């Protein structure tokens, strides 16, 4: 297997051959995002609320700390010292352990919604952010950490607001305003990058001929980001060779975007998966916890007004295939009116 993720790319024609030429419209208006959420004052206990608020505040501090670009050598040195001090003293690492504890308790009581909320909080950008802060605290600061941590912190805050409606009401209100989000925002984070999480690294490549907007609101873009992180985390958990290729192409009729994620897998995993396209989307399968790909299916179902995962897969809105020792998973997302 090549060590270059670029070799995993498919032609646009090959991607379109895997999916329907046209998907039926199920909603009267375009999906606005944020259909799945909880409330601090309804779904969480006092200790859980405090942990969530602590993470949100601390991640905000990290975002401010890593926001500066192209500083002088002296300013860079001071910033590195400040980041090191933050990593050693911030409560994020302790709070991450608390999230795992809360998720396990919710799982034991078979509270699927609460289990999913805690896993969404812990297994998106937070997983990578947590790991890098641990490295900073134990081994020191690398120059590339600043931009990476800024993107991760920004995404984590945005995703937390989308998942917990009363965490930051002012920020949530802003997230629901119409504001086009370009595919360039995803390219900035994922084009030729090294993703670190779960004590592993993965080379990621991103290619798109589409240049328009992929979301109409921050709340919708947060959901697209959540799907991205689930698929990237799934690839780093289960992939072979730690490579991932991401592509975006327009559907044949131009109404939708097709998102393709491709990563190498072991011979055993390829044999286990075969060509079954729907099983990976079931709750308990895929990602580190078995929540991630089920959450992806739920998001895409909300975006198109689909009732069940079975219908989602059978109608071609999402799917997966094994080609040799490469696992490919795709999903559709409705194109914006202005794209």
């Amino acid at each position: 297997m090549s060590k270059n993720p670029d070799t995993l790319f498919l032609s646009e024609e090959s991607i379109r051959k895997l999916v329907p030429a046209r998907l039926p419209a199920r909603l009267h208006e375009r999906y606005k995002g944020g259909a799945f959420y909880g409330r601090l004052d309804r779904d969480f206990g006092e200790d859980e609320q405090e942990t969530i608020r602590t993470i949100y505040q601390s991640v905000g501090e990290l975002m401010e700390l890593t926001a500066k670009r192209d500083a002088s050598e002296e300013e860079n040195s001071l910033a590195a010292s400040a980041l090191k001090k933050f990593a050693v003293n911030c409560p994020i690492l302790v709070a991450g352990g608390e999230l795992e504890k809360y998720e396990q308790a919710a799982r034991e009581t078979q509270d699927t919604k609460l289990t999913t909320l805690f896993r969404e909080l812990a297994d998106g950008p937070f997983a990578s952010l947590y790991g890098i802060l641990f490295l900073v605290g134990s081994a020191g600061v690398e120059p590339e950490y600043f931009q990476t941590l800024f993107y991760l912190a920004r995404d984590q805050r945005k995703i937390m607001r989308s998942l917990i409606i009363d965490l930051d009401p002012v920020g949530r209100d802003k997230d629901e305003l119409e504001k086009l989000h370009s595919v360039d925002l995803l390219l900035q984070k994922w084009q030729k990058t090294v993703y670190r999480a779960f004590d592993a690294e993965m080379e990621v490549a991103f290619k798109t001929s589409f240049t328009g907007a992929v979301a109409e609101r921050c709340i919708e873009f947060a959901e697209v980001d959540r799907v991205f992180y689930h698929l990237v985390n799934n690839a780093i958990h289960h992939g072979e060779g730690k490579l991932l290729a991401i592509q975006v192409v327009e559907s044949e009729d131009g109404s939708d975007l097709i998102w393709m994620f491709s990563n190498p897998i072991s011979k055993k995993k390829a044999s286990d998966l075969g060509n079954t396209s729907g099983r990976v989307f079931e709750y308990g399968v895929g990602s580190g916890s078995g929540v991630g790909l089920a959450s992806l299916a739920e998001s895409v179902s909300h975006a198109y007004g689909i009732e069940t995962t079975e219908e989602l897969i059978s109608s071609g809105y999402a799917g997966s295939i094994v080609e040799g020792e490469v696992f490919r998973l795709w999903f559709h997302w409705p194109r914006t009116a202005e794209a």
Side-chain angles (χ1 to χ4, degrees):
M1 174 64 67
S2 169
K3 294 185 178 181
N4 183 354
D6 289 345
T7 62
L8 297 168
F9 286 135
L10 290 175
S11 69
E12 294 191 10
E13 181 182 2
S14 296
I15 292 175
R16 293 191 183 101
K17 284 182 178 179
L18 291 170
V19 303
R22 180 176 178 82
L23 295 172
R26 306 291 182 95
L27 299 175
H28 295 299
E29 60 180 8
R30 193 176 179 280
Y31 179 56
K32 296 180 179 180
F36 175 76
Y37 63 87
R39 295 187 63 95
L40 281 176
D41 61 5
R42 181 188 65 198
D43 298 309
F44 301 95
E46 290 184 4
D47 290 346
E48 295 167 340
Q49 292 179 34
E50 182 61 28
T51 296
I52 291 168
R53 288 194 178 98
T54 295
I55 291 173
Y56 188 72
Q57 179 180 343
S58 297
V59 171
E61 293 170 5
L62 178 62
M63 183 176 166
E64 292 180 6
L65 188 62
T66 56
K68 292 184 179 180
R69 301 284 190 275
D70 302 322
S72 67
E73 185 174 341
E74 180 181 359
E75 288 173 324
N76 282 334
S77 178
L78 290 172
S81 297
L83 181 57
K84 171 79 172 182
K85 182 178 179 180
F86 177 89
V88 170
N89 297 306
C90 78
I92 290 176
L93 299 183
V94 173
E98 294 294 304
L99 286 180
E100 296 289 341
K101 182 181 72 175
Y102 297 146
E103 181 201 349
Q104 183 59 37
R107 194 182 298 274
E108 290 173 358
T109 61
Q110 299 184 337
D111 188 330
T112 302
K113 179 180 179 180
L114 202 55
T115 300
T116 302
L117 281 168
F118 282 126
R119 179 44 47 186
E120 292 280 1
L121 293 173
D123 200 22
F126 188 82
S128 182
L129 183 154
Y130 182 100
I132 294 174
L133 284 179
F134 182 83
L135 285 175
V136 170
S138 60
V141 179
E142 298 293 336
E144 66 269 20
Y145 288 170
F146 279 89
Q147 185 174 71
T148 300
L149 283 170
F150 174 78
Y151 287 147
L152 292 169
R154 183 182 63 185
D155 290 350
Q156 179 67 19
R157 295 258 296 183
K158 178 176 57 182
I159 287 171
M160 291 182 75
R161 290 194 301 271
S162 75
L163 289 170
I164 305 174
I165 196 170
D166 56 343
L167 175 61
D168 178 356
V170 174
R172 171 80 183 210
D173 286 345
K174 291 180 180 177
D175 290 344
E176 292 179 348
L177 297 175
E178 289 192 21
K179 180 182 179 182
L180 291 179
H181 289 67
S182 170
V183 70
D184 290 342
L185 295 171
L186 294 169
L187 283 169
Q188 289 171 6
K189 291 183 289 188
W190 299 110
Q191 189 177 40
K192 295 295 182 184
T193 191
V194 175
Y195 180 75
R196 298 174 175 88
F198 313 107
D199 298 321
E201 293 184 355
M202 182 170 63
E203 297 278 344
V204 182
F206 189 163
K207 181 169 74 172
T208 176
S209 59
F210 175 76
T211 58
V214 297
E216 295 180 353
R217 293 167 177 80
C218 287
I219 197 75
E220 180 195 353
F221 194 62
E223 195 154 355
V224 173
D225 269 332
R226 276 172 49 206
V227 170
F228 256 68
Y229 281 106
H230 284 315
L231 288 172
V232 175
N233 286 338
N234 192 67
I236 203 169
H237 268 300
H238 300 293
E240 187 82 4
K242 304 308 177 189
L243 304 173
L244 174 65
I246 306 171
Q247 293 174 262
V248 184
V249 304
E250 297 176 63
S251 62
E252 186 172 315
D253 73 341
S255 299
D256 305 276
L257 298 178
I258 308 163
W259 307 76
M260 172 69 72
F261 287 68
S262 304
N263 62 276
I265 54 176
S266 67
K267 289 182 179 179
K268 182 180 184 307
K269 191 165 289 292
S271 177
D272 290 343
L273 287 171
N275 287 315
T276 303
S277 63
R279 193 174 70 85
V280 296
F281 297 99
E282 296 173 3
Y283 186 84
V285 179
S287 214
S289 62
V291 170
L293 300 188
S295 176
L296 178 158
E298 183 175 4
S299 287
V300 179
S301 294
H302 286 315
Y304 286 98
I306 306 300
E307 295 295 330
T308 66
T309 299
E310 291 76 14
E311 183 185 0
L312 184 85
I313 304 306
S314 64
S315 299
Y317 290 87
S320 67
I321 192 170
V322 175
E323 294 181 339
E325 293 174 37
V326 176
F327 175 70
R328 302 189 189 277
L329 185 149
W330 65 87
F331 68 94
H332 287 77
W333 200 259
R335 185 169 172 169
T336 67
E338 292 82 356

